[in-house]
Amino acid sequence: QPDDRGLIGDVPVLRVTRRGTEAVHFVPAALEPGAEVLLSLDWERRFDHMQQHSGQHLISAVAEQMFGFKTTSWELGRQRSVIELDTPLVTAEQVEALERSVNEKIRDRVPVIVRELAADDPEVETVRSRGLPDDHAGPVRVVDIKGIDSNLCCGTHVSNLSDLQVIKLLGMEKGKKNKTNLVFLVGNRVLKSIEQSHSTEKALTSLLKNGPGEHVEAVKRLQSSVKLLQKNNLNLLRDIAVLIARDFKSKPAPKPLFVLHRKEGDSEFMNIIANEIGTEETLLFLTVGDEKEAGLFLLAGPVEAVENLGPRVAELLGGKGAGKRGRFQGKAAKMSRRGEVQALLQEFISHQNPGA
């Protein structure tokens, strides 16, 4: 169970841990020895932990009684909690029956009693436990859910199962080898989950323009539409890439440097252009993405030129890339520096071909 939080006077407690028999409090500022202070507990956090922990005891006990599923460990999470059950399979019907049974016991207002026993008391051996810490000293605490469970535990608990309000089992997840994880919420966490789900439902109702019962089908239709649009967009980009390349090649005297930027596009778009133009004689610098943000680039052309210029182009664009056989491509973080790259390439061509 997570530790408590609160204030010592006006100094917040950041963490509490145990060292032997002492509780050690971590605070951000020194406290005056001997000073009288008011201790304030973060009750919302404490009560949440009480609900989840007592709920875990109840679920574990009833799961073992009904189906023989022993609890091997559990985790009290920030948003949801998990019980690890020593079984490879729990059916949906068993989950439903377990949830129904634990909530019946909550409605029955079963008392929860905390007792202390001497560590050598014979009764300790009859209580459910995973063993005591090696540095344990003093009495041991036993948490009894009357007529349901008796368990060694040092955590904080409610005094009556009615304080749990309700338990919701969210389902099963595959655990470690031959184990199954049971995910659950107790009390106020159930209410918060319902509130969050309702807010999401209202937002979807507004966006999708239909009722909650039709949300799933509406989203499926949208997904299908998006897939079709993406397919059509890809085909159009391919056609545009081919037309751009053919237009360049149709000119009577194609220039030795071809530069193109397009906001919409991807690596395939750039490679189609490079394939169509051919890079034996022409140096191509192609980019796609937002002009002022990040994007993709492709440098293609004679092998020696690309090997020489590729890393320098990537450096100017604040990106990384790799290449082989006359192509160097990668990601660019500074697309706004495309003009500097173009100047670099033009200078390179001028030195290679003084008349160009």
Side-chain angles (χ1 to χ4, degrees), residues 246-263:
R246 289 179 180 175
D247 178 65
F248 175 79
K249 291 173 69 176
S250 69
K251 290 181 170 48
K255 296 181 180 180
L257 176 64
F258 178 75
V259 177
L260 176 74
H261 173 77
R262 188 178 181 87
K263 186 175 181 179

Side-chain angles (χ1 to χ4, degrees), residues 63-179:
E64 186 169 351
Q65 292 167 9
M66 291 182 70
F67 307 113
F69 300 154
K70 293 184 179 296
T71 293
T72 48
S73 69
W74 84 289
E75 177 188 9
L76 200 167
R78 291 185 179 182
Q79 294 182 321
R80 63 179 200 166
S81 299
V82 178
I83 296 172
E84 182 185 73
L85 298 175
D86 191 13
T87 176
L89 177 66
V90 180
T91 66
E93 291 75 18
Q94 289 172 324
V95 172
E96 183 180 349
L98 177 59
E99 180 178 281
R100 186 166 53 248
S101 179
V102 295
N103 281 295
E104 285 173 356
K105 289 170 171 50
I106 291 173
R107 291 192 294 273
D108 288 341
R109 298 179 55 82
V110 178
V112 180
I113 302 165
V114 177
R115 298 179 293 134
E116 288 192 353
L117 300 175
D120 58 355
D121 190 314
E123 187 180 346
V124 173
E125 299 299 323
T126 66
V127 177
R128 189 158 60 92
S129 169
R130 285 191 288 157
L132 294 170
D134 294 336
D135 61 351
H136 174 79
V140 296
R141 294 174 78 247
V142 178
V143 178
D144 293 319
I145 303 176
K146 190 174 180 181
I148 298 173
D149 185 46
S150 187
N151 198 348
L152 286 188
C153 184
C154 61
T156 53
H157 290 270
V158 299
S159 59
N160 192 289
L161 289 188
S162 62
D163 291 332
L164 301 184
Q165 300 167 275
V166 64
I167 289 177
K168 180 59 186 175
L169 304 183
L170 297 179
M172 314 306 301
E173 295 177 353
K174 187 175 181 180
K176 299 175 184 176
K177 187 176 181 181
N178 293 324
K179 303 289 180 69

